[in-house]
Short mmCIF file of all heavy atoms in Angstrom, two decimals:
data_model
loop_
_atom_site.label_atom_id
_atom_site.label_comp_id
_atom_site.label_asym_id
_atom_site.label_seq_id
_atom_site.Cartn_x
_atom_site.Cartn_y
_atom_site.Cartn_z
N TRP A 18 3.08 12.21 6.01
CA TRP A 18 2.83 11.11 5.27
C TRP A 18 4.05 10.64 4.37
O TRP A 18 4.13 9.51 4.15
CB TRP A 18 1.61 11.44 4.25
CG TRP A 18 0.32 11.66 4.88
CD1 TRP A 18 -0.33 12.83 4.89
CD2 TRP A 18 -0.39 10.75 5.74
NE1 TRP A 18 -1.40 12.63 5.79
CE2 TRP A 18 -1.48 11.38 6.23
CE3 TRP A 18 -0.24 9.43 6.15
CZ2 TRP A 18 -2.45 10.80 7.01
CZ3 TRP A 18 -1.05 8.80 6.97
CH2 TRP A 18 -2.21 9.50 7.40
N ALA A 19 4.86 11.55 4.00
CA ALA A 19 6.02 11.23 3.31
C ALA A 19 7.00 10.42 4.09
O ALA A 19 7.55 9.44 3.60
CB ALA A 19 6.74 12.44 2.76
N GLN A 20 7.26 10.76 5.36
CA GLN A 20 8.07 10.04 6.21
C GLN A 20 7.56 8.55 6.50
O GLN A 20 8.28 7.61 6.38
CB GLN A 20 8.20 10.67 7.58
CG GLN A 20 9.37 11.61 7.69
CD GLN A 20 9.67 12.00 9.06
OE1 GLN A 20 8.58 12.25 9.79
NE2 GLN A 20 10.86 12.30 9.51
N ALA A 21 6.27 8.42 6.63
CA ALA A 21 5.64 7.13 6.93
C ALA A 21 5.77 6.32 5.66
O ALA A 21 6.11 5.13 5.70
CB ALA A 21 4.16 7.32 7.27
N ALA A 22 5.56 6.92 4.51
CA ALA A 22 5.61 6.24 3.22
C ALA A 22 7.02 5.70 2.98
O ALA A 22 7.19 4.47 2.54
CB ALA A 22 5.19 7.18 2.10
N GLU A 23 7.92 6.52 3.39
CA GLU A 23 9.40 6.08 3.20
C GLU A 23 9.72 4.93 4.10
O GLU A 23 10.34 3.93 3.67
CB GLU A 23 10.27 7.25 3.68
CG GLU A 23 11.77 6.95 3.41
CD GLU A 23 12.69 8.12 3.74
OE1 GLU A 23 12.24 9.24 3.41
OE2 GLU A 23 13.79 7.88 4.45
N ARG A 24 9.14 4.86 5.26
CA ARG A 24 9.43 3.73 6.23
C ARG A 24 8.72 2.49 5.77
O ARG A 24 9.31 1.37 5.81
CB ARG A 24 9.00 4.18 7.59
CG ARG A 24 9.95 5.20 8.16
CD ARG A 24 9.68 5.48 9.58
NE ARG A 24 10.53 6.62 10.05
CZ ARG A 24 10.61 6.93 11.25
NH1 ARG A 24 9.98 6.41 12.24
NH2 ARG A 24 11.57 7.92 11.71
N PHE A 25 7.41 2.60 5.36
CA PHE A 25 6.73 1.42 4.88
C PHE A 25 7.49 0.90 3.64
O PHE A 25 7.46 -0.40 3.42
CB PHE A 25 5.20 1.74 4.64
CG PHE A 25 4.45 1.85 5.86
CD1 PHE A 25 3.74 3.03 6.08
CD2 PHE A 25 4.34 0.79 6.73
CE1 PHE A 25 2.96 3.20 7.28
CE2 PHE A 25 3.50 0.92 7.86
CZ PHE A 25 2.87 2.11 8.12
N SER A 26 7.90 1.80 2.77
CA SER A 26 8.59 1.32 1.52
C SER A 26 9.87 0.54 1.89
O SER A 26 10.18 -0.45 1.34
CB SER A 26 8.95 2.59 0.65
OG SER A 26 9.53 2.21 -0.41
N ARG A 27 10.54 1.08 2.86
CA ARG A 27 11.81 0.40 3.29
C ARG A 27 11.45 -1.04 3.82
O ARG A 27 12.21 -2.03 3.59
CB ARG A 27 12.54 1.24 4.38
CG ARG A 27 13.76 1.87 3.89
CD ARG A 27 14.58 2.50 4.94
NE ARG A 27 14.11 3.86 5.20
CZ ARG A 27 13.87 4.44 6.30
NH1 ARG A 27 14.25 3.90 7.54
NH2 ARG A 27 13.43 5.70 6.33
N VAL A 28 10.38 -1.16 4.64
CA VAL A 28 10.02 -2.54 5.13
C VAL A 28 9.66 -3.44 3.97
O VAL A 28 10.19 -4.54 4.05
CB VAL A 28 8.79 -2.35 6.06
CG1 VAL A 28 8.23 -3.69 6.44
CG2 VAL A 28 9.16 -1.60 7.37
N VAL A 29 9.00 -2.96 3.02
CA VAL A 29 8.66 -3.79 1.87
C VAL A 29 9.86 -4.24 1.10
O VAL A 29 9.93 -5.29 0.62
CB VAL A 29 7.61 -3.09 0.99
CG1 VAL A 29 7.42 -3.89 -0.31
CG2 VAL A 29 6.34 -2.92 1.72
N GLU A 30 10.78 -3.32 0.89
CA GLU A 30 12.03 -3.58 0.13
C GLU A 30 12.92 -4.50 0.79
O GLU A 30 13.47 -5.48 0.24
CB GLU A 30 12.70 -2.25 -0.15
CG GLU A 30 12.15 -1.40 -1.18
CD GLU A 30 12.82 -0.02 -1.32
OE1 GLU A 30 13.96 0.08 -0.80
OE2 GLU A 30 12.22 0.85 -1.77
N ARG A 31 13.04 -4.35 2.18
CA ARG A 31 14.02 -5.18 2.95
C ARG A 31 13.43 -6.43 3.34
O ARG A 31 14.26 -7.45 3.41
CB ARG A 31 14.39 -4.47 4.16
CG ARG A 31 15.30 -3.18 3.95
CD ARG A 31 15.74 -2.59 5.30
NE ARG A 31 16.52 -1.34 4.99
CZ ARG A 31 16.86 -0.47 5.90
NH1 ARG A 31 16.44 -0.69 7.14
NH2 ARG A 31 17.53 0.57 5.52
N TYR A 32 12.15 -6.51 3.47
CA TYR A 32 11.48 -7.77 4.04
C TYR A 32 10.29 -8.16 3.21
O TYR A 32 9.17 -8.28 3.83
CB TYR A 32 11.10 -7.64 5.48
CG TYR A 32 12.18 -7.14 6.34
CD1 TYR A 32 12.16 -5.82 6.68
CD2 TYR A 32 13.33 -7.82 6.66
CE1 TYR A 32 13.24 -5.36 7.56
CE2 TYR A 32 14.35 -7.34 7.54
CZ TYR A 32 14.18 -6.05 7.93
OH TYR A 32 15.26 -5.58 8.69
N PRO A 33 10.40 -8.40 1.85
CA PRO A 33 9.22 -8.70 1.00
C PRO A 33 8.40 -9.98 1.34
O PRO A 33 7.37 -10.05 1.03
CB PRO A 33 9.89 -8.74 -0.31
CG PRO A 33 11.29 -9.17 -0.17
CD PRO A 33 11.67 -8.53 1.16
N ALA A 34 9.13 -10.89 2.00
CA ALA A 34 8.43 -12.12 2.36
C ALA A 34 8.06 -12.13 3.77
O ALA A 34 7.40 -13.14 4.27
CB ALA A 34 9.41 -13.32 2.10
N ASN A 35 8.20 -11.08 4.52
CA ASN A 35 7.80 -11.04 5.94
C ASN A 35 6.26 -11.19 5.99
O ASN A 35 5.55 -10.68 5.14
CB ASN A 35 8.30 -9.72 6.47
CG ASN A 35 7.99 -9.57 7.97
OD1 ASN A 35 6.86 -9.35 8.34
ND2 ASN A 35 9.03 -9.66 8.77
N ARG A 36 5.82 -11.65 7.06
CA ARG A 36 4.42 -11.94 7.24
C ARG A 36 3.62 -10.59 7.37
O ARG A 36 2.41 -10.64 7.26
CB ARG A 36 4.06 -12.83 8.42
CG ARG A 36 4.44 -12.19 9.74
CD ARG A 36 4.28 -13.29 10.88
NE ARG A 36 4.65 -12.68 12.14
CZ ARG A 36 3.94 -12.55 13.21
NH1 ARG A 36 2.75 -12.96 13.17
NH2 ARG A 36 4.41 -12.11 14.35
N SER A 37 4.29 -9.52 7.57
CA SER A 37 3.65 -8.23 7.73
C SER A 37 3.78 -7.37 6.42
O SER A 37 3.42 -6.21 6.43
CB SER A 37 4.16 -7.42 8.80
OG SER A 37 3.82 -8.08 10.07
N ALA A 38 4.32 -7.96 5.39
CA ALA A 38 4.61 -7.23 4.13
C ALA A 38 3.29 -6.74 3.51
O ALA A 38 3.21 -5.61 2.90
CB ALA A 38 5.38 -8.04 3.22
N ASP A 39 2.27 -7.69 3.71
CA ASP A 39 0.95 -7.14 3.06
C ASP A 39 0.45 -5.87 3.82
O ASP A 39 -0.04 -5.01 3.08
CB ASP A 39 -0.10 -8.32 3.17
CG ASP A 39 -0.26 -8.88 4.53
OD1 ASP A 39 0.54 -8.67 5.44
OD2 ASP A 39 -1.26 -9.61 4.71
N ALA A 40 0.61 -5.94 5.10
CA ALA A 40 0.00 -4.71 5.80
C ALA A 40 0.90 -3.44 5.47
O ALA A 40 0.39 -2.39 5.29
CB ALA A 40 0.13 -4.96 7.35
N ALA A 41 2.27 -3.67 5.39
CA ALA A 41 3.08 -2.53 4.94
C ALA A 41 2.68 -2.07 3.63
O ALA A 41 2.70 -0.88 3.39
CB ALA A 41 4.62 -2.95 4.90
N LEU A 42 2.46 -2.94 2.66
CA LEU A 42 2.00 -2.44 1.29
C LEU A 42 0.63 -1.65 1.40
O LEU A 42 0.50 -0.61 0.78
CB LEU A 42 1.82 -3.63 0.33
CG LEU A 42 3.04 -4.27 -0.22
CD1 LEU A 42 2.84 -5.56 -0.84
CD2 LEU A 42 3.82 -3.29 -1.17
N TYR A 43 -0.18 -2.11 2.21
CA TYR A 43 -1.53 -1.38 2.34
C TYR A 43 -1.37 -0.04 2.86
O TYR A 43 -1.78 0.99 2.33
CB TYR A 43 -2.45 -2.14 3.28
CG TYR A 43 -3.77 -1.32 3.50
CD1 TYR A 43 -4.79 -1.36 2.58
CD2 TYR A 43 -3.90 -0.51 4.57
CE1 TYR A 43 -5.94 -0.61 2.73
CE2 TYR A 43 -4.94 0.28 4.82
CZ TYR A 43 -6.06 0.17 3.86
OH TYR A 43 -7.19 0.95 3.91
N TRP A 44 -0.57 0.10 3.97
CA TRP A 44 -0.27 1.34 4.54
C TRP A 44 0.61 2.32 3.68
O TRP A 44 0.38 3.49 3.79
CB TRP A 44 0.28 1.16 6.01
CG TRP A 44 -0.75 0.70 6.92
CD1 TRP A 44 -0.84 -0.52 7.47
CD2 TRP A 44 -1.92 1.30 7.27
NE1 TRP A 44 -1.99 -0.71 8.17
CE2 TRP A 44 -2.72 0.53 8.04
CE3 TRP A 44 -2.53 2.56 6.97
CZ2 TRP A 44 -3.90 0.82 8.64
CZ3 TRP A 44 -3.78 2.96 7.58
CH2 TRP A 44 -4.43 1.96 8.41
N LEU A 45 1.55 1.68 2.93
CA LEU A 45 2.28 2.45 2.00
C LEU A 45 1.17 3.11 0.88
O LEU A 45 1.32 4.21 0.65
CB LEU A 45 3.25 1.60 1.22
CG LEU A 45 4.11 2.14 0.13
CD1 LEU A 45 4.76 3.48 0.62
CD2 LEU A 45 5.05 1.20 -0.44
N ALA A 46 0.29 2.30 0.43
CA ALA A 46 -0.73 2.75 -0.51
C ALA A 46 -1.50 3.89 0.12
O ALA A 46 -1.80 4.89 -0.53
CB ALA A 46 -1.60 1.64 -1.00
N PHE A 47 -1.83 3.74 1.37
CA PHE A 47 -2.57 4.71 2.12
C PHE A 47 -1.90 6.06 2.21
O PHE A 47 -2.41 7.16 1.92
CB PHE A 47 -3.04 4.18 3.55
CG PHE A 47 -3.81 5.11 4.34
CD1 PHE A 47 -5.25 5.10 4.19
CD2 PHE A 47 -3.23 5.96 5.27
CE1 PHE A 47 -5.98 6.00 5.01
CE2 PHE A 47 -4.08 6.91 5.96
CZ PHE A 47 -5.48 6.87 5.82
N CYS A 48 -0.55 5.98 2.59
CA CYS A 48 0.28 7.20 2.61
C CYS A 48 0.27 7.78 1.31
O CYS A 48 0.28 9.07 1.20
CB CYS A 48 1.62 6.82 3.19
SG CYS A 48 1.69 6.30 4.90
N ARG A 49 0.57 7.06 0.27
CA ARG A 49 0.64 7.68 -1.08
C ARG A 49 -0.76 8.23 -1.44
O ARG A 49 -0.76 9.43 -2.10
CB ARG A 49 0.93 6.62 -2.11
CG ARG A 49 2.46 6.16 -1.92
CD ARG A 49 2.89 5.01 -2.77
NE ARG A 49 4.34 4.98 -2.68
CZ ARG A 49 4.94 3.85 -3.19
NH1 ARG A 49 4.39 2.94 -3.88
NH2 ARG A 49 6.24 3.71 -3.16
N LYS A 50 -1.91 7.66 -1.15
CA LYS A 50 -3.18 8.26 -1.35
C LYS A 50 -3.25 9.61 -0.76
O LYS A 50 -3.64 10.64 -1.23
CB LYS A 50 -4.25 7.30 -0.97
CG LYS A 50 -5.59 7.86 -1.18
CD LYS A 50 -6.73 6.90 -0.69
CE LYS A 50 -7.17 7.43 0.66
NZ LYS A 50 -8.44 6.73 1.19
N LYS A 51 -2.77 9.62 0.56
CA LYS A 51 -2.92 10.91 1.31
C LYS A 51 -2.02 12.06 0.73
O LYS A 51 -2.42 13.23 0.88
CB LYS A 51 -2.59 10.67 2.78
CG LYS A 51 -3.58 9.89 3.53
CD LYS A 51 -4.87 10.76 3.71
CE LYS A 51 -5.64 10.17 4.73
NZ LYS A 51 -6.87 11.08 4.94
N GLN A 52 -0.99 11.61 0.11
CA GLN A 52 -0.12 12.62 -0.60
C GLN A 52 -0.59 13.00 -1.96
O GLN A 52 0.07 13.86 -2.62
CB GLN A 52 1.35 12.07 -0.72
CG GLN A 52 2.03 11.75 0.56
CD GLN A 52 3.43 11.12 0.39
OE1 GLN A 52 4.29 11.73 -0.07
NE2 GLN A 52 3.46 9.84 0.76
N GLY A 53 -1.70 12.38 -2.39
CA GLY A 53 -2.21 12.66 -3.79
C GLY A 53 -1.50 11.96 -4.94
O GLY A 53 -1.62 12.25 -6.00
N LYS A 54 -0.69 10.95 -4.49
CA LYS A 54 0.02 10.13 -5.50
C LYS A 54 -0.79 8.89 -5.86
O LYS A 54 -0.42 7.75 -5.41
CB LYS A 54 1.49 9.72 -4.83
CG LYS A 54 2.36 10.93 -4.57
CD LYS A 54 3.64 10.45 -4.02
CE LYS A 54 4.54 11.69 -3.71
NZ LYS A 54 5.80 11.22 -3.19
N PHE A 55 -1.77 9.09 -6.55
CA PHE A 55 -2.78 8.09 -6.81
C PHE A 55 -2.28 6.95 -7.66
O PHE A 55 -2.71 5.76 -7.46
CB PHE A 55 -4.09 8.78 -7.41
CG PHE A 55 -4.71 9.69 -6.41
CD1 PHE A 55 -4.69 11.06 -6.79
CD2 PHE A 55 -5.31 9.33 -5.18
CE1 PHE A 55 -5.26 12.02 -5.96
CE2 PHE A 55 -5.77 10.29 -4.34
CZ PHE A 55 -5.78 11.64 -4.77
N GLN A 56 -1.50 7.27 -8.63
CA GLN A 56 -0.95 6.14 -9.55
C GLN A 56 0.01 5.27 -8.82
O GLN A 56 0.02 4.06 -8.94
CB GLN A 56 -0.25 6.77 -10.79
CG GLN A 56 -1.22 7.43 -11.77
CD GLN A 56 -0.52 7.98 -12.99
OE1 GLN A 56 0.71 8.30 -12.85
NE2 GLN A 56 -1.22 8.06 -14.02
N GLU A 57 0.74 5.87 -7.91
CA GLU A 57 1.71 5.12 -7.04
C GLU A 57 0.92 4.21 -6.01
O GLU A 57 1.18 3.07 -5.79
CB GLU A 57 2.65 6.05 -6.30
CG GLU A 57 3.69 6.57 -7.20
CD GLU A 57 4.64 7.57 -6.47
OE1 GLU A 57 4.95 7.16 -5.29
OE2 GLU A 57 5.08 8.51 -6.96
N ALA A 58 -0.14 4.77 -5.50
CA ALA A 58 -1.07 4.07 -4.59
C ALA A 58 -1.70 2.92 -5.26
O ALA A 58 -1.80 1.84 -4.78
CB ALA A 58 -2.06 4.92 -4.00
N ASP A 59 -2.12 3.07 -6.47
CA ASP A 59 -2.78 2.05 -7.23
C ASP A 59 -1.87 0.92 -7.62
O ASP A 59 -2.21 -0.13 -7.48
CB ASP A 59 -3.35 2.68 -8.51
CG ASP A 59 -4.31 1.65 -9.31
OD1 ASP A 59 -5.27 1.15 -8.71
OD2 ASP A 59 -4.14 1.52 -10.42
N ALA A 60 -0.67 1.28 -8.00
CA ALA A 60 0.34 0.18 -8.21
C ALA A 60 0.69 -0.57 -7.04
O ALA A 60 0.90 -1.78 -7.12
CB ALA A 60 1.57 0.89 -8.85
N THR A 61 0.78 0.08 -5.90
CA THR A 61 1.06 -0.55 -4.69
C THR A 61 -0.07 -1.51 -4.28
O THR A 61 0.17 -2.63 -3.83
CB THR A 61 1.30 0.44 -3.53
OG1 THR A 61 2.41 1.38 -3.90
CG2 THR A 61 1.59 -0.17 -2.16
N LEU A 62 -1.24 -1.03 -4.49
CA LEU A 62 -2.40 -1.97 -4.13
C LEU A 62 -2.43 -3.15 -5.10
O LEU A 62 -2.76 -4.27 -4.72
CB LEU A 62 -3.79 -1.21 -4.28
CG LEU A 62 -3.85 -0.02 -3.11
CD1 LEU A 62 -5.02 0.82 -3.56
CD2 LEU A 62 -4.06 -0.75 -1.74
N ASP A 63 -2.17 -2.88 -6.42
CA ASP A 63 -2.02 -3.99 -7.37
C ASP A 63 -1.06 -5.07 -6.89
O ASP A 63 -1.21 -6.22 -7.00
CB ASP A 63 -1.69 -3.48 -8.76
CG ASP A 63 -2.83 -2.77 -9.47
OD1 ASP A 63 -3.91 -3.01 -9.03
OD2 ASP A 63 -2.53 -2.09 -10.41
N ARG A 64 0.09 -4.51 -6.36
CA ARG A 64 1.10 -5.52 -5.87
C ARG A 64 0.69 -6.35 -4.73
O ARG A 64 0.86 -7.53 -4.60
CB ARG A 64 2.30 -4.67 -5.57
CG ARG A 64 3.52 -5.58 -5.04
CD ARG A 64 4.77 -4.88 -4.69
NE ARG A 64 5.69 -5.69 -4.16
CZ ARG A 64 6.86 -5.15 -3.51
NH1 ARG A 64 7.12 -3.93 -3.65
NH2 ARG A 64 7.63 -5.98 -2.97
N LEU A 65 -0.08 -5.58 -3.78
CA LEU A 65 -0.61 -6.30 -2.66
C LEU A 65 -1.60 -7.44 -3.15
O LEU A 65 -1.61 -8.61 -2.68
CB LEU A 65 -1.41 -5.31 -1.73
CG LEU A 65 -1.73 -5.81 -0.36
CD1 LEU A 65 -1.98 -4.70 0.51
CD2 LEU A 65 -3.18 -6.70 -0.41
N LEU A 66 -2.49 -7.03 -3.99
CA LEU A 66 -3.54 -8.00 -4.56
C LEU A 66 -2.95 -9.15 -5.25
O LEU A 66 -3.43 -10.22 -5.26
CB LEU A 66 -4.56 -7.15 -5.41
CG LEU A 66 -5.42 -6.28 -4.65
CD1 LEU A 66 -6.21 -5.42 -5.62
CD2 LEU A 66 -6.41 -6.89 -3.68
N LYS A 67 -1.88 -8.84 -6.03
CA LYS A 67 -1.24 -9.95 -6.78
C LYS A 67 -0.35 -10.86 -5.90
O LYS A 67 -0.42 -12.04 -5.88
CB LYS A 67 -0.28 -9.27 -7.81
CG LYS A 67 0.52 -10.31 -8.62
CD LYS A 67 1.41 -9.71 -9.63
CE LYS A 67 2.22 -10.68 -10.30
NZ LYS A 67 3.65 -10.44 -10.06
N ASP A 68 0.52 -10.28 -5.05
CA ASP A 68 1.43 -11.03 -4.26
C ASP A 68 0.83 -11.74 -2.95
O ASP A 68 1.38 -12.64 -2.45
CB ASP A 68 2.64 -10.23 -3.84
CG ASP A 68 3.47 -9.72 -5.08
OD1 ASP A 68 3.22 -10.27 -6.13
OD2 ASP A 68 4.36 -8.87 -4.93
N PHE A 69 -0.23 -11.08 -2.40
CA PHE A 69 -0.86 -11.45 -1.21
C PHE A 69 -2.32 -11.70 -1.39
O PHE A 69 -3.20 -11.16 -0.68
CB PHE A 69 -0.60 -10.53 0.00
CG PHE A 69 0.89 -10.32 0.13
CD1 PHE A 69 1.63 -9.26 -0.43
CD2 PHE A 69 1.56 -11.24 0.93
CE1 PHE A 69 2.96 -9.19 -0.21
CE2 PHE A 69 2.93 -11.04 1.20
CZ PHE A 69 3.61 -10.03 0.64
N ALA A 70 -2.74 -12.52 -2.38
CA ALA A 70 -4.14 -12.68 -2.72
C ALA A 70 -5.00 -13.27 -1.59
O ALA A 70 -6.15 -13.00 -1.49
CB ALA A 70 -4.32 -13.62 -3.87
N ASP A 71 -4.36 -13.91 -0.63
CA ASP A 71 -5.08 -14.50 0.51
C ASP A 71 -5.04 -13.57 1.73
O ASP A 71 -5.47 -14.01 2.84
CB ASP A 71 -4.61 -15.95 0.72
CG ASP A 71 -4.77 -16.97 -0.26
OD1 ASP A 71 -5.75 -16.65 -0.89
OD2 ASP A 71 -3.92 -17.77 -0.44
N SER A 72 -4.45 -12.47 1.62
CA SER A 72 -4.27 -11.60 2.87
C SER A 72 -5.62 -11.06 3.33
O SER A 72 -6.56 -10.88 2.65
CB SER A 72 -3.50 -10.37 2.35
OG SER A 72 -3.44 -9.41 3.36
N SER A 73 -5.58 -10.69 4.65
CA SER A 73 -6.76 -10.14 5.24
C SER A 73 -6.94 -8.65 4.88
O SER A 73 -7.95 -8.11 5.02
CB SER A 73 -6.60 -10.21 6.82
OG SER A 73 -5.45 -9.57 7.20
N TRP A 74 -5.86 -8.05 4.09
CA TRP A 74 -5.96 -6.77 3.62
C TRP A 74 -6.57 -6.58 2.25
O TRP A 74 -6.70 -5.50 1.81
CB TRP A 74 -4.55 -6.16 3.63
CG TRP A 74 -3.91 -5.92 4.94
CD1 TRP A 74 -3.10 -6.70 5.66
CD2 TRP A 74 -4.24 -4.88 5.91
NE1 TRP A 74 -2.90 -6.23 6.96
CE2 TRP A 74 -3.60 -4.99 7.04
CE3 TRP A 74 -5.05 -3.73 5.71
CZ2 TRP A 74 -3.63 -4.22 8.12
CZ3 TRP A 74 -5.06 -2.85 6.83
CH2 TRP A 74 -4.37 -3.10 7.90
N VAL A 75 -6.92 -7.74 1.71
CA VAL A 75 -7.38 -7.74 0.26
C VAL A 75 -8.62 -6.89 0.18
O VAL A 75 -8.80 -6.04 -0.77
CB VAL A 75 -7.64 -9.08 -0.24
CG1 VAL A 75 -8.48 -9.13 -1.55
CG2 VAL A 75 -6.22 -9.76 -0.56
N SER A 76 -9.72 -7.04 1.01
CA SER A 76 -10.85 -6.35 1.01
C SER A 76 -10.64 -4.89 1.18
O SER A 76 -11.24 -4.04 0.40
CB SER A 76 -11.95 -6.88 1.86
OG SER A 76 -11.53 -6.75 3.18
N ASP A 77 -9.80 -4.47 2.08
CA ASP A 77 -9.44 -3.01 2.26
C ASP A 77 -8.81 -2.44 1.06
O ASP A 77 -8.97 -1.38 0.74
CB ASP A 77 -8.64 -2.98 3.48
CG ASP A 77 -9.35 -3.25 4.77
OD1 ASP A 77 -10.47 -2.87 4.96
OD2 ASP A 77 -8.75 -4.01 5.67
N ALA A 78 -7.96 -3.27 0.49
CA ALA A 78 -7.25 -2.79 -0.76
C ALA A 78 -8.19 -2.49 -1.87
O ALA A 78 -8.08 -1.53 -2.54
CB ALA A 78 -6.17 -3.82 -1.19
N ARG A 79 -9.12 -3.44 -2.06
CA ARG A 79 -10.24 -3.15 -3.08
C ARG A 79 -10.98 -1.91 -2.73
O ARG A 79 -11.39 -1.18 -3.63
CB ARG A 79 -11.03 -4.41 -3.11
CG ARG A 79 -10.33 -5.63 -3.74
CD ARG A 79 -11.24 -6.77 -4.05
NE ARG A 79 -10.52 -7.83 -4.70
CZ ARG A 79 -10.52 -9.08 -4.47
NH1 ARG A 79 -11.37 -9.44 -3.40
NH2 ARG A 79 -9.83 -9.93 -5.03
N VAL A 80 -11.37 -1.71 -1.60
CA VAL A 80 -12.06 -0.45 -1.23
C VAL A 80 -11.26 0.81 -1.49
O VAL A 80 -11.75 1.71 -2.14
CB VAL A 80 -12.48 -0.42 0.22
CG1 VAL A 80 -13.00 0.92 0.70
CG2 VAL A 80 -13.44 -1.53 0.58
N MET A 81 -9.95 0.82 -1.23
CA MET A 81 -9.24 1.82 -1.51
C MET A 81 -9.08 2.13 -2.96
O MET A 81 -9.06 3.22 -3.47
CB MET A 81 -7.79 1.78 -0.87
CG MET A 81 -7.00 3.06 -0.90
SD MET A 81 -5.22 3.04 -0.43
CE MET A 81 -5.41 2.21 1.20
N LYS A 82 -8.92 0.99 -3.86
CA LYS A 82 -8.89 1.12 -5.19
C LYS A 82 -10.07 1.81 -5.80
O LYS A 82 -9.99 2.60 -6.61
CB LYS A 82 -8.74 -0.25 -5.92
CG LYS A 82 -7.22 -0.69 -5.85
CD LYS A 82 -7.00 -1.96 -6.60
CE LYS A 82 -6.98 -1.85 -8.02
NZ LYS A 82 -5.88 -1.10 -8.69
N ALA A 83 -11.27 1.49 -5.14
CA ALA A 83 -12.48 2.17 -5.54
C ALA A 83 -12.45 3.69 -5.23
O ALA A 83 -12.90 4.51 -5.96
CB ALA A 83 -13.72 1.41 -4.97
N GLU A 84 -11.86 3.96 -4.04
CA GLU A 84 -11.79 5.34 -3.58
C GLU A 84 -10.93 6.29 -4.54
O GLU A 84 -11.18 7.36 -4.65
CB GLU A 84 -11.25 5.39 -2.13
CG GLU A 84 -12.12 4.88 -1.08
CD GLU A 84 -11.49 4.86 0.26
OE1 GLU A 84 -10.31 4.98 0.43
OE2 GLU A 84 -12.22 4.46 1.23
N ILE A 85 -9.89 5.63 -5.03
CA ILE A 85 -8.90 6.43 -5.81
C ILE A 85 -9.24 6.29 -7.36
O ILE A 85 -8.53 6.89 -8.17
CB ILE A 85 -7.44 5.96 -5.56
CG1 ILE A 85 -7.17 4.58 -6.01
CG2 ILE A 85 -7.12 6.30 -4.13
CD1 ILE A 85 -5.63 4.19 -5.83
N ALA A 86 -10.19 5.46 -7.73
CA ALA A 86 -10.56 5.32 -9.09
C ALA A 86 -10.89 6.66 -9.74
O ALA A 86 -10.40 7.06 -10.88
CB ALA A 86 -11.70 4.37 -9.30
N LEU A 87 -11.65 7.55 -9.11
CA LEU A 87 -12.15 8.83 -9.75
C LEU A 87 -10.86 9.75 -9.98
O LEU A 87 -10.74 10.20 -10.98
CB LEU A 87 -13.17 9.44 -8.82
CG LEU A 87 -13.85 10.73 -9.39
CD1 LEU A 87 -14.48 10.42 -10.70
CD2 LEU A 87 -14.82 11.35 -8.47
N PRO A 88 -10.03 9.95 -8.92
CA PRO A 88 -8.93 10.80 -9.17
C PRO A 88 -7.93 10.20 -10.25
O PRO A 88 -7.26 10.98 -10.99
CB PRO A 88 -8.09 10.83 -7.85
CG PRO A 88 -9.18 10.52 -6.80
CD PRO A 88 -10.13 9.53 -7.58
N LEU A 89 -7.91 8.90 -10.45
CA LEU A 89 -7.11 8.33 -11.53
C LEU A 89 -7.67 8.54 -12.94
O LEU A 89 -6.93 8.47 -13.83
CB LEU A 89 -6.93 6.80 -11.25
CG LEU A 89 -5.96 6.40 -10.14
CD1 LEU A 89 -6.02 4.91 -9.94
CD2 LEU A 89 -4.56 6.74 -10.54
N GLY A 90 -9.00 8.75 -12.94
CA GLY A 90 -9.56 9.04 -14.18
C GLY A 90 -10.16 7.80 -14.74
O GLY A 90 -10.27 7.30 -15.72
#
């Protein structure tokens, strides 16, 4: 998960306006969730929801936010 997170992070950093940046943010959050990095996952999802409000990944991002709500406290 760490390697995948690093690659998705690089994509988002290098190509923030790319048409696939929303998907990269979602999968970056997923990788962080799998690593137990819930605060980082939540921040990544917040960025996706803010920067790509019309994305097809919005509903999935909201579901993931609900999934990590308990571990976040």
Side-chain angles (χ1 to χ4, degrees):
W18 295 117
Q20 270 187 325
E23 183 179 319
R24 289 183 183 191
F25 285 121
S26 183
R27 254 189 271 141
V28 168
V29 171
E30 288 173 17
R31 290 182 185 170
Y32 312 103
N35 184 285
R36 64 185 179 122
S37 298
D39 57 343
L42 283 168
Y43 176 83
W44 289 112
L45 175 57
F47 183 85
C48 292
R49 289 175 171 168
K50 180 182 102 169
K51 287 294 194 178
Q52 294 176 70
K54 298 179 178 182
F55 301 112
Q56 289 181 333
E57 290 179 31
D59 192 51
T61 303
L62 293 168
D63 285 342
R64 181 175 172 192
L65 190 162
L66 293 170
K67 178 182 173 240
D68 294 351
F69 300 95
D71 296 330
S72 169
S73 61
W74 291 97
V75 165
S76 61
D77 292 316
R79 288 186 178 135
V80 169
M81 192 185 309
K82 281 185 74 70
E84 292 171 354
I85 63 174
L87 188 59
L89 281 173

